[in-house]
Amino acid sequence: MEYETPLFFHVMAYAAEADHDVVDMVSGNPDWEPPEALRDGLREYADFDADRFQYPPSEGIRPLREEIAERRGVDASQVVITNGAGEANYLAMARALERGAGSEIVLTDPVYSYYPGKTTMLGGTAHYVSAGADGHLDPSVVRAATSDDTAAIVVNTPNNPTGAVYPEETVSELVEVAEANDAILVSDEVYDHYDLSGTFTSALSVDSDHRIVTNAFSKTLAITGFRVGYAIFPSHLVEDAKSRHMLVNVAGSRPAQYAVLRALQETDPAYHEANRELLRERVDLFTDALDGAGADYVRPDGAFYVLARFDDYPGTLSNVERLIDEAGVAGMPGSAFGESCEPWLRFALVTPRVEEAADRLAEYFT
Amino acid sequence: MEYETPLFFHVMAYAAEADHDVVDMVSGNPDWEPPEALRDGLREYADFDADRFQYPPSEGIRPLREEIAERRGVDASQVVITNGAGEANYLAMARALERGAGSEIVLTDPVYSYYPGKTTMLGGTAHYVSAGADGHLDPSVVRAATSDDTAAIVVNTPNNPTGAVYPEETVSELVEVAEANDAILVSDEVYDHYDLSGTFTSALSVDSDHRIVTNAFSKTLAITGFRVGYAIFPSHLVEDAKSRHMLVNVAGSRPAQYAVLRALQETDPAYHEANRELLRERVDLFTDALDGAGADYVRPDGAFYVLARFDDYPGTLSNVERLIDEAGVAGMPGSAFGESCEPWLRFALVTPRVEEAADRLAEYFT
């Protein structure tokens, strides 16, 4: 097989096997509570008549699609409920490649680790454009890298791993570049509820037949294990995407879809604001301690992660394992996110022990 | 797009839009109760700590994999929990094609409608072998159709739509044919708990590196909407299958996996025997009425379906729609299951109104 398995699971397993205390900052699993209405939704579902335990419509239960369509200002027919953002991105990239309008996928470096594997699996070729460790993508660099052979440009904003949030001009220029090359902009916006900067712009804000927006409730509602995501397609691409969804998965899991629906209907915006506030505090705590350790870091504008760099300690897998063994802190090797990230380590702020972890790092490196 | 969308959803929508009473015998949604322990599992899950709402292991929660491995007599490392049998078959067929040992998929005619679409989507070529409307596959016919270019032979036992249950000799000979051609036998056994003949043999009973067994709890536990299935791979194929699973879906839905685990742990064999007894009664009721209507039919040895043929009424989509409109009975066009099924209609015995439906058919056709 020519596609790479993401390193996440390897590092998580290594950290779990340690016989000493390790602060887990590896994966993007929120450690805060899901909304109470989500739990209520599961309880209610458990008592439903058995006919509601059977196949939902392949594209997802209708009230959930309608709720999403209304929130996102699109027609419900454009919405496909997927098995998390993982499947949403898979469907979007497959659709872009199957159009017969190119075989190249433009990805950023740093990159979210799953995109390269999906590209290869789908028979595409990855072409990287540099965004730097701060993740600030220059659309003119993307323009220069894009050609007739470009099938898709895949971006993630707010960005994992850099924490960058693309400004409105970047988003609209990326759509324009996609249009100019008959390519598809795939905008993965799973961290949209964790924009700490107030500047997040969805690619949906630009009306175009050349963009697909993917998202999920995994981070939004702190339920990465429920696997409820969605993709919003332009009308001319949605039917074929639904066919692939049906042929791969038939449909997503219905109890999870129903619980998400209840959570959307009943959760106050304050829930999301409180989560952002928690993240802001953790960013402060963690970066203060990194300052103390003399580390270089990128202060995130959104998402859950801090990229940090320590002198003479590149972000290799073996250095990550050494940090688990000797400092009791587990992060992700920067190398998992592309060449430009090789000097860096990524720490996920999804533990109440952020300060303790930072102190351990400070002690280890000073 | 070159792969066909199954007709199920079209026919179901047509039947649902009728403004008169229609007995729905279209899809394979059980109308009997799931085990009570399944509901208990969902209720229990709803109260779990939030960390159990996060990513399960990509290949599925460990106790469920272990429970399946023990029941099936395999090592847990060979088991991948999938988003229903749909994904299990997709992973199995993808793995067979990616081995570089052929690009042809041998399918039976009649065929379960999703297999041809998956074949085309994955870049394979379908090659059909005739099984006849009674579904009795002659392994020597499969042997003659198989060559160096065969990547996989995909079969379904108990069979949808014919109701055939392959005898032990057929199963072992199919494995042998796969081995002789360096191909993979994919044996989809989702109806294994609905063997009405007592003769069902799993492909797992033949030890081989050349067979993948797929299954799901959709039918077994009457929960087609939960999307919990699994595939059992030979050790040398499992890692790459897990990679694809991770790249497409990341993981399956965790609340559904937990509910299935509880149901497996606590459900008595009597639950399954009662469901089989219900099906046996419905087969009798329906076929008696078909006898009365002078129809030709295939008495199923397993699964949920009866193929029936009425004089001068081939199983086209338009005839199915006419039957919905004029007789108030919705079935599936035989043409959805391959050329040999074109004269036939498929009726799913998943309604308490089986006798009423049969009476309507008798009245309409006599």
Side-chain angles (χ1 to χ4, degrees):
Chain A
M1 185 112 84
E2 290 171 29
Y3 43 87
E4 203 186 335
T5 303
L7 277 170
F8 299 99
F9 290 89
H10 173 84
V11 178
M12 281 193 286
Y14 189 90
E17 278 162 21
D19 55 5
H20 59 283
D21 177 60
V22 177
V23 182
D24 178 0
M25 303 180 79
V26 180
S27 83
N29 279 329
D31 67 309
W32 44 92
E33 278 291 311
E36 190 56 29
L38 183 106
R39 295 177 182 274
D40 290 340
L42 274 187
R43 291 183 194 109
E44 188 191 1
Y45 187 92
D47 293 322
F48 277 161
D49 284 347
D51 64 338
R52 293 180 77 174
F53 283 35
Q54 308 310 322
Y55 293 121
S58 177
E59 62 268 34
I61 58 173
R62 183 186 295 258
L64 180 57
R65 291 172 65 222
E66 285 172 353
E67 181 77 31
I68 291 166
E70 199 187 313
R71 284 164 182 251
R72 306 310 308 265
V74 298
D75 194 85
S77 65
Q78 297 175 252
V79 180
V80 181
I81 309 287
T82 58
N83 189 72
E87 191 206 347
N89 288 323
Y90 162 77
L91 293 181
M93 292 167 72
R95 193 80 293 279
L97 284 164
E98 280 181 343
R99 292 174 64 233
S103 62
E104 217 170 76
I105 306 266
V106 173
L107 300 174
T108 61
D109 177 6
V111 68
Y112 173 55
S113 317
Y114 277 91
Y115 304 154
K118 283 183 209 278
T119 300
T120 314
M121 180 178 71
L122 288 164
T125 312
H127 184 111
Y128 291 93
V129 295
S130 174
D134 67 1
H136 285 160
L137 189 62
D138 180 348
S140 67
V141 174
V142 178
R143 192 183 295 274
T146 308
S147 72
D148 276 358
D149 198 33
T150 306
I153 303 160
V154 181
V155 297
N156 173 222
T157 178
N159 188 258
N160 173 9
T162 66
V165 174
Y166 298 164
E168 195 177 343
E169 312 81 73
T170 298
V171 172
S172 61
E173 202 170 333
L174 288 173
V175 174
E176 215 177 86
V177 173
E179 286 179 344
N181 292 278
D182 191 18
I184 304 290
L185 177 71
V186 179
S187 185
D188 174 348
E189 303 175 355
V190 289
Y191 294 101
D192 62 351
H193 284 66
Y194 300 93
D195 167 28
L196 308 179
S197 69
T199 63
F200 169 74
T201 303
S202 168
L204 286 177
S205 66
V206 192
D207 191 33
S208 172
D209 274 354
H210 286 78
R211 53 115 180 84
I212 299 171
V213 169
T214 60
N215 209 319
F217 301 99
S218 303
K219 317 288 180 180
T220 308
L221 301 176
I223 46 162
T224 54
F226 276 49
R227 315 306 306 136
V228 183
Y230 63 90
I232 296 175
F233 293 90
S235 306
H236 68 112
L237 298 179
V238 71
E239 289 309 322
D240 284 346
K242 284 181 186 173
S243 290
R244 180 175 279 262
H245 169 65
M246 192 184 291
L247 286 168
V248 171
N249 276 332
V250 182
S253 184
R254 194 163 176 171
Q257 290 186 15
Y258 186 77
V260 165
L261 174 66
R262 281 280 311 258
L264 289 183
Q265 288 169 337
E266 296 171 34
T267 304
D268 205 80
Y271 168 80
H272 302 293
E273 184 48 42
N275 293 338
R276 282 189 292 271
E277 195 45 44
L278 180 72
L279 264 180
R280 274 187 206 102
E281 284 164 21
R282 288 178 178 178
V283 169
D284 288 342
L285 282 171
F286 195 67
T287 56
D288 282 355
L290 290 177
D291 280 329
D296 217 6
Y297 61 85
V298 181
R299 191 180 178 85
D301 282 333
F304 299 171
Y305 312 97
V306 172
L307 284 177
R309 181 166 61 178
F310 300 91
D311 280 347
D312 302 323
Y313 203 88
T316 59
L317 179 59
S318 63
N319 273 344
V320 161
E321 292 177 350
R322 216 171 105 200
L323 214 57
I324 291 169
D325 293 337
E326 298 175 9
V329 179
M332 270 297 288
S335 54
F337 305 100
E339 265 178 45
S340 70
C341 260
E342 281 171 8
W344 301 81
L345 296 160
R346 190 197 73 173
F347 297 96
L349 306 178
V350 290
T351 164
R353 300 169 68 194
V354 160
E355 193 169 15
E356 193 181 346
D359 290 343
R360 287 182 185 187
L361 292 173
E363 192 179 341
Y364 185 72
F365 284 111
T366 49
Chain B
M1 182 110 86
E2 291 172 28
Y3 42 87
E4 203 188 336
T5 304
L7 277 170
F8 299 100
F9 290 89
H10 173 85
V11 178
M12 282 193 286
Y14 189 90
E17 278 161 22
D19 55 6
H20 58 283
D21 177 61
V22 176
V23 182
D24 178 0
M25 303 180 80
V26 179
S27 82
N29 280 328
D31 67 309
W32 44 92
E33 279 291 311
E36 190 55 29
L38 183 107
R39 296 179 181 271
D40 290 341
L42 273 188
R43 291 183 194 109
E44 187 190 3
Y45 186 92
D47 292 323
F48 277 161
D49 285 347
D51 65 337
R52 294 180 76 175
F53 284 34
Q54 308 309 323
Y55 293 121
S58 178
E59 63 268 33
I61 58 173
R62 182 185 295 258
L64 180 56
R65 291 172 66 223
E66 286 171 351
E67 182 76 32
I68 291 165
E70 199 188 314
R71 284 164 183 252
R72 308 307 311 262
V74 299
D75 195 86
S77 64
Q78 296 175 252
V79 180
V80 181
I81 309 287
T82 58
N83 189 73
E87 190 206 348
N89 288 323
Y90 162 78
L91 293 180
M93 290 166 74
R95 193 81 292 280
L97 285 164
E98 280 180 343
R99 291 173 66 232
S103 62
E104 216 169 77
I105 306 265
V106 172
L107 300 174
T108 61
D109 177 9
V111 68
Y112 173 54
S113 317
Y114 277 91
Y115 304 153
K118 283 182 208 277
T119 300
T120 315
M121 179 178 73
L122 287 164
T125 310
H127 184 111
Y128 291 93
V129 295
S130 173
D134 66 0
H136 285 158
L137 189 62
D138 179 349
S140 67
V141 173
V142 177
R143 191 184 296 275
T146 309
S147 73
D148 276 358
D149 198 33
T150 305
I153 303 159
V154 181
V155 296
N156 173 221
T157 177
N159 188 258
N160 174 8
T162 65
V165 174
Y166 298 163
E168 194 176 344
E169 311 82 73
T170 299
V171 173
S172 62
E173 201 170 335
L174 289 173
V175 174
E176 214 179 85
V177 172
E179 286 180 344
N181 293 278
D182 192 18
I184 304 290
L185 176 72
V186 179
S187 184
D188 175 347
E189 303 175 356
V190 289
Y191 294 100
D192 62 350
H193 284 65
Y194 300 93
D195 167 29
L196 308 179
S197 69
T199 63
F200 169 75
T201 304
S202 168
L204 287 176
S205 67
V206 191
D207 191 32
S208 172
D209 274 353
H210 287 78
R211 54 113 179 87
I212 300 171
V213 169
T214 60
N215 209 318
F217 301 99
S218 302
K219 316 289 180 179
T220 307
L221 302 175
I223 47 162
T224 54
F226 276 49
R227 315 307 305 138
V228 182
Y230 63 89
I232 296 175
F233 293 91
S235 307
H236 68 112
L237 298 179
V238 71
E239 288 309 322
D240 284 346
K242 284 181 185 172
S243 290
R244 179 175 280 263
H245 169 65
M246 192 183 290
L247 287 168
V248 171
N249 275 332
V250 182
S253 185
R254 194 163 175 171
Q257 289 186 16
Y258 186 78
V260 165
L261 174 66
R262 280 281 311 260
L264 289 183
Q265 288 169 337
E266 296 171 34
T267 303
D268 205 81
Y271 168 80
H272 302 292
E273 184 49 40
N275 293 338
R276 281 189 292 273
E277 194 46 41
L278 180 72
L279 264 180
R280 274 188 206 101
E281 284 164 21
R282 289 179 177 178
V283 169
D284 287 342
L285 281 171
F286 195 67
T287 56
D288 282 356
L290 289 177
D291 280 329
D296 218 7
Y297 61 85
V298 181
R299 191 181 178 84
D301 282 333
F304 297 170
Y305 313 97
V306 172
L307 284 177
R309 184 166 59 177
F310 300 90
D311 279 348
D312 301 323
Y313 203 88
T316 60
L317 179 59
S318 63
N319 273 345
V320 161
E321 292 177 351
R322 216 171 106 200
L323 214 55
I324 291 170
D325 293 336
E326 299 176 8
V329 179
M332 271 296 288
S335 54
F337 306 100
E339 263 178 47
S340 70
C341 261
E342 280 171 8
W344 300 82
L345 296 160
R346 191 198 72 172
F347 298 95
L349 305 178
V350 289
T351 164
R353 300 168 70 196
V354 159
E355 194 169 16
E356 192 181 346
D359 289 344
R360 288 183 184 187
L361 292 173
E363 192 180 341
Y364 185 72
F365 284 110
T366 50

